[in-house]
Each structure stands twice: as structure tokens, then as C-alpha cells.
Amino acid sequence: MAEQEKEASFPAKENFSEWYNELLRTAEIMDVRYPVKGLYVWHPFGFSIRKNVYAIIRELLDKDHQETLFPLLIPEHEFMKEAEHIKGFEEEVYWVTHGGTNPLDVKLALRPTSETAIYPMYKLWVRSHADLPLKLYQIVNTFRYETKHTRPLIRLREITSFKEAHTVHATWDDAAAQVDEAIRIYIEFYRQLGIPVLPSKRPDWDKFPGADYTIAVDALMPDGKTLQVGTAHHLGDSFAKTFDITYEDPEGEQILAHQTCYGISERSIASMISIHGDDKGLVLPPQIAPIQVVIIPIIFKDGTEVLEACENVRSTLGSAGIRVKIDDGDNRPGAKYYKWEMKGVPIRIEIGPRDLKNNAAMVVRRDTGNKEQIPLDNIKNEILERFDNIHADLLAKAEDEVQSRIFDCETLDEVREKLPQGIARVHWCGVKECGLKLEEDIGAGILGIPTGQDENVTGKCPVCGADATTRVYVARTY
Ligand code: ZN
């Protein structure tokens, strides 16, 4: 009964923090035993999830961005150029001060983000209006000396998978349109992960250091806290001024450029596994799953016929591009089910002598547990159809969950009461002092003003009682 004991020891998802840590370990996503705080190691299985996730963002960006790669080290004089930017990051920067035993003439920062690495080169690359828009991105590691409690995939000192895009435009409006486009790309990216995200414009005190404004997307985690899983910043011309990024317009005049940057990280994976996972382990959208189908032969005496049928199915599915595996190891079927459920394999196919009599297989969905007997003759199409259904159902379920956990609140008491369950939407007069007081009083954060909310909002600010023209999302955040 070894497998039953193992099942009993896996924590229920309602104990979210414990469940999350155990999931990363048992499903072999991250190993937390690396001997530096805040640095974690990808298991190969976790890394193949990462590959599939980042293939999606690459595909979305490659339509009109180009991928690039800049150095990890940024010289101090470049890093210190933009005053607001430094203020935002100076407590988080790791510095390289020595080459061997010799002190360096110029200290080198490990990038916490790459504006100050990329923009000195943009000064050289952007010459004329014909060079614009310039849209580059890179997927790199970045380092931040986090002083808060670190957590794998969520709060790291080495962010291993930072996708940062940096764009240059002729006008402020062009840059603003690019910020909107970035958010559309992120919403589509998360849709493909089966994750609904909430875009909102961050309040001024929470925007990116040096930016005109920031729009972020948040995901609602199972414990009711939100996780910021993507940001897009309008940088105006402030970095262009600092780094002297200008272009020659058609009249021959030198004009300051306008810029944006936008990023996502492995938090995308944290949100995906947290939102879809269940008491049995990982649940993955088929597009993401490293193994999409596992075939389990059910063998009683002579297994030749069954194994042959399994191999035929494997070959049929494999040649359709499906990532499929036969588990013909010595474990009993129950132990195999447990293992592949933990790994989030979207579909399990069981083939035994009784199925073969009907020229069929038993097909089991990981997300619902639903079992159906499927004719072998049509197995490929049946599986592909189920992939679509699984993705659609995961997304719909997550959307229902988010919608049922956004609460319209009129008073601070109501906000306090609802926050343990999810997100409060509350009126705000727009005055910074009221916003900060609200955050302090209820011990939670203003995410921001939902983008695309209707303009005719009327109500009272719950802090000062003045007329409010906007509503904001308020939540406990990671
Ligand atoms: Zn107010």
C-alpha cells in the first residue's frame, strides 16, 4: 500500500503554502536545497514546463519584436545615470567589485533589470525616424537582493526567466499604444496558460521607478492573494533624456525618443501551477505539459497483445506531434496513476484485454477525472479534441473562480471582511493620501484602476467621503 501512504502525505490544496512547496518538490519542478538564499534550481521536468511556457511568449513576441541578448554586468556610471531609477533599485543591487584579488576601477552591477544596459546601445543604434519603432526583447536571469521572505518562482534573488522587452518610438502616443499592445500580448499569453489576469493601472506611488505610468496584470492565487505576473511601463522621454536617445525626423531635426519596457517572469509558471493544480498534484494545460499522454498497459497473464496495442497507439499519437509515453514499468497500475497525476499529464490511456475486445481504450482526463471508452480507430482525433476541451475548461473554471472572488465594497469594513476571500473593488477619490491611508488601514495593497472600466463610475471615497470617479482593485498581494 505504499502509494496510498504517499497520497495521504501530500497536503490538501486548502493549505496552500504547504501544498505549493510540496508540489514543487514531489512533481520535480524546483529544488530548493541550493546553498544560497533565494536561489533555486530547476529540475529537468520543471525546466521542460518552462520551455513550453516560454515558447508561447516567444511566438507571440516574434511576430514584430526581435530577440536579443545583452550582458549581465552594467558599469556603475551607466547604472547611476537615471536618478529615479537608482532610487527604486539601489537597495536591491548586487555589485561585482573585484576581478580576482584586484579591486575594479569601475564597479559592475548585476542587472536587476536591463534599462541601463540596453539604452546606452540604443543611443548608438537609433539614428533616424526610419529606425523606429525599435522593439527588442531578451529572456535572461536578473538579480535582486530581496529582503522580504523569498519563495521559489515567486520572490527570488535570482530571477531565472525574466522576459524583458524594450521599445523605442517616435512619439509619446506611439509608446502609449505599445503599452496597450504589451498588455494585450500578456492577456493572450496567459489565456494560453488557462489563466485569467486582471489588468490595472498602478497608482503613482507603485509605478516603475522612472516611468510615466505602469499597467500591470495580476492573477488571483488560491489563497485569495494576488500575484503580479506582468508589467508594462511607459517611460516617456525620461530615459531618452538621460541616455541621449534621439532620432532625426524627416525635416532633419533631432527629436527625443519615447520608450516602453515590459516584463514577465517565472511567476507566470507559479500562477499556472497554483491555479490549476489540485489535491493530487499538477494539472497542466496540454500545450504546456512535457508529457501530454501516458499509456498504461493493463496486463494480467500474457501481455503481448496489450503491449502491441499500446505501441500502436503511441506511434499514432507520436506521429501527430503529441508528446506521448508508455509506462510499462513493473509498478502496479495504481502507483503509475498516482505518479502521472502528480506530474499533471493531461490524459491517461489505459489498455487492457477487455478494452482490446472492443477495439477500444479507456481515456481518463486529469483535470476532471472523467473516464470514457474510446474506439482505437479514431484515437488521435479524440485525443486532440480533448486537448482543446481541457484547455477551454481549465480557463473557464479559473475565470469563474476569479469572477466569484471580486467583491464590490462601499466601506473599509466591507473591504476588510472580503479580502480573505479575494479582491475588493472600491471607490477612490484619486488623492494619494487617501490611497495610502486605505492601504495602511486595511493592511492590503491597491492594485490599481482596472483598465477599460466604464467612465461613468459614481460613488464616495470610503476614506474621505468625497465624490469618486474611479474604482480600484484592492487585494492582499504577494
Ligand atoms: Zn478620498
Side-chain angles (χ1 to χ4, degrees):
M1 292 285 109
E3 71 265 25
Q4 280 183 2
E5 280 163 36
K6 265 189 268 169
E7 282 177 53
S9 74
F10 192 72
K13 194 178 173 185
E14 60 186 40
N15 306 317
F16 176 66
S17 192
E18 194 191 338
W19 174 89
Y20 179 77
N21 291 331
E22 194 54 35
L23 180 72
L24 295 181
R25 193 180 73 83
T26 315
E28 296 183 306
I29 297 171
M30 303 298 293
D31 197 322
V32 302
R33 293 174 293 178
Y34 193 75
V36 179
K37 178 183 158 66
L39 274 55
Y40 308 101
V41 184
W42 288 98
H43 280 293
F45 181 78
F47 199 74
S48 57
I49 291 175
R50 177 198 184 274
K51 268 194 264 187
N52 295 337
V53 167
Y54 279 74
I56 296 174
I57 194 67
R58 276 199 165 93
E59 193 189 336
L60 290 169
L61 290 174
D62 284 346
K63 287 172 187 162
D64 68 342
H65 296 62
Q66 289 175 292
E67 190 169 356
T68 183
L69 186 57
F70 275 73
L72 167 64
L73 298 174
I74 305 173
E76 183 179 22
H77 52 85
E78 297 292 0
F79 189 77
M80 301 306 260
K81 263 185 188 165
E82 218 289 332
E84 287 297 312
H85 190 68
I86 303 160
K87 258 196 284 171
F89 285 103
E90 66 186 346
E91 292 303 320
E92 296 184 7
V93 176
Y94 285 90
W95 289 101
V96 175
T97 58
H98 285 71
T101 54
N102 298 318
L104 296 176
D105 292 340
V106 178
K107 279 202 298 181
L108 301 168
L110 297 189
R111 62 183 161 219
T113 172
S114 298
E115 286 71 20
T116 58
I118 293 176
Y119 300 167
M121 299 308 293
Y122 275 8
K123 169 187 159 61
L124 305 174
W125 292 351
V126 174
R127 315 284 350 148
S128 97
H129 60 95
D131 298 327
L132 303 179
L134 176 63
K135 302 184 193 181
L136 305 184
Y137 76 94
Q138 61 179 2
I139 298 172
V140 294
N141 57 348
T142 68
F143 292 82
R144 295 182 188 177
Y145 185 73
E146 287 285 355
T147 49
K148 291 185 193 168
H149 181 64
T150 55
R151 204 187 285 262
L153 301 177
I154 292 179
R155 190 171 294 284
L156 314 146
R157 288 189 172 173
E158 181 188 11
I159 298 165
T160 66
S161 312
F162 191 50
K163 189 289 300 165
E164 50 177 333
H166 296 268
T167 70
V168 188
H169 305 268
T171 68
W172 194 95
D173 287 347
D174 289 350
Q178 188 62 36
V179 169
D180 293 344
E181 173 64 11
I183 294 299
R184 277 193 293 274
I185 291 170
Y186 287 173
I187 290 170
E188 171 56 20
F189 167 67
Y190 281 105
R191 192 194 65 75
Q192 295 194 37
L193 301 188
I195 302 293
V197 289
L198 301 168
S200 68
K201 188 173 178 183
R202 290 286 185 256
D204 258 7
W205 61 87
D206 196 24
K207 67 183 184 184
F208 182 72
D212 278 10
Y213 65 86
T214 292
I215 296 178
V217 292
D218 296 281
L220 179 62
M221 298 288 269
D223 59 358
K225 290 191 203 170
T226 59
L227 184 66
Q228 174 176 296
V229 290
T231 51
H233 315 291
H234 194 309
L235 300 179
D237 61 6
S238 60
F239 283 87
K241 274 183 196 141
T242 303
F243 290 94
D244 191 26
I245 303 169
T246 63
Y247 66 95
E248 192 178 275
D249 75 2
E251 282 73 48
E253 250 186 278
Q254 290 297 317
I255 311 281
L256 273 178
H258 290 78
Q259 292 176 269
T260 81
C261 60
Y262 35 100
I264 55 164
S265 72
E266 54 261 60
R267 281 185 165 196
S268 56
I269 295 166
S271 65
M272 181 187 67
I273 65 178
S274 300
I275 289 168
H276 298 319
D278 64 17
D279 289 351
K280 293 176 174 176
L282 281 177
V283 175
L284 296 171
Q287 198 182 352
I288 305 304
I291 300 167
Q292 296 172 302
V293 174
V294 64
I295 303 170
I296 314 274
I298 311 292
I299 294 167
F300 294 100
K301 288 174 203 147
D302 173 23
T304 319
E305 226 183 315
V306 166
L307 286 172
E308 200 178 277
C310 289
E311 177 50 34
N312 286 341
V313 171
R314 190 201 63 74
S315 158
T316 304
L317 299 182
S319 57
I322 295 169
R323 298 186 287 273
V324 54
K325 181 185 170 62
I326 298 177
D327 185 352
D328 55 3
D330 291 336
N331 288 330
R332 294 182 305 107
K336 294 179 181 176
Y337 299 167
Y338 169 81
K339 174 181 172 183
W340 299 112
E341 281 173 351
M342 171 61 65
K343 295 270 193 187
V345 176
I347 287 179
R348 179 174 84 227
I349 299 178
E350 303 163 16
I351 301 177
R354 257 179 302 170
D355 304 299
L356 279 190
K357 257 185 222 155
N358 299 322
N359 193 34
M362 194 60 81
V363 170
V364 187
R365 268 174 65 164
R366 170 65 182 89
D367 62 324
T368 58
N370 194 34
K371 278 185 158 195
E372 289 168 282
Q373 206 174 48
I374 300 297
L376 286 175
D377 298 339
N378 198 27
I379 192 93
K380 182 193 82 180
N381 292 334
E382 294 278 354
I383 295 297
L384 289 174
E385 190 184 314
R386 274 163 189 71
F387 283 173
D388 289 343
N389 295 341
I390 291 169
H391 177 263
D393 290 353
L394 287 176
L395 179 62
K397 188 173 163 218
E399 274 170 349
D400 287 349
E401 174 81 8
V402 172
Q403 287 313 317
S404 72
R405 295 173 81 172
I406 298 177
F407 305 96
D408 284 320
C409 298
E410 297 298 330
T411 66
L412 293 185
D413 279 341
E414 267 182 78
V415 174
R416 259 184 229 108
E417 186 201 316
K418 293 296 185 189
L419 278 184
Q421 300 167 56
I423 299 166
R425 192 162 43 198
V426 64
H427 289 102
W428 178 42
C429 62
V431 174
K432 180 178 176 181
E433 284 66 34
C434 279
L436 292 175
K437 186 162 190 310
L438 187 151
E439 289 188 333
E440 196 190 307
D441 276 8
I442 58 178
I446 290 181
L447 300 182
I449 299 168
T451 57
Q453 80 168 353
D454 74 65
E455 305 288 321
N456 304 320
V457 171
T458 52
K460 302 286 183 197
C461 172
V463 181
C464 69
D467 285 337
T469 50
T470 61
R471 291 189 298 177
V472 287
Y473 289 136
V474 177
R476 296 176 306 134
T477 59
Y478 273 92

